[in-house]
Amino acid sequence: MDAAFERAVLAQLLAIPPGQVSTYGTLAALAGYPRHARHVGKLLGNAPEGAGWPWFRVVSGSGKVARPGTPEADYQILLLEEDGVEVGPGGRVNLKRYGWPVQYFIRP
DNA sequence: CACTTGACGTCTT
DNA sequence: TAAGACGCCAAGT
């Protein structure tokens, strides 16, 4: 396993402010591993549930929840809404508002 | 060594 | 906007 990669990604994951979301590719890039988006997904998928990691704050680059249709996706949507993030039909998230670190803050 | 498999991303229809 | 083609990188078979 690559402990350095895991540490770096986890650091970025924990850096996401509550109520905001980031993407796999962004986390990988911030961690210092560009084009390793798939590995971030694999890491989160393999991550222990009781670790307390905010894995639910990570969505795909299109702003959609990964693996749509699965119970995990529904659970993630639930957690995001609990976190104050609006999730549209199909597990869509408006990255213009909730995206991190680039959030545009289009608030009424 | 060749091929497959991913919680992915960007570009083109 | 939705859907498909390609590209990407590491790990497993």
Side-chain angles (χ1 to χ4, degrees), chain A residues 75-88:
Chain A
Y75 182 47
Q76 178 172 8
I77 293 174
L78 180 65
L79 290 176
L80 284 177
E81 291 183 334
E82 287 283 317
D83 215 33
V85 176
E86 294 183 35
V87 181

Side-chain angles (χ1 to χ4, degrees), chain A residues 1 7 10 12 16 23 30 34-36 38 40 43 46 56-57 60-61 66 74 87 103-107:
Chain A
M1 68 179 86
R7 273 192 303 102
L10 180 57
Q12 297 305 321
I16 304 175
T23 73
L30 289 177
R35 302 178 297 284
H36 283 57
R38 310 185 89 118
V40 174
L43 182 60
N46 186 13
F56 56 88
R57 299 202 183 112
S60 64
D74 293 335
V87 181
Q103 78 281 39
Y104 289 67
F105 249 79
I106 305 177
R107 37 188 309 176

Side-chain angles (χ1 to χ4, degrees), chain A residues 6 12 21 26 30 33 52 54 59 73 78 106:
Chain A
E6 296 181 9
Q12 297 305 321
V21 299
T26 300
L30 289 177
Y33 296 82
V59 297
L78 180 65
I106 305 177

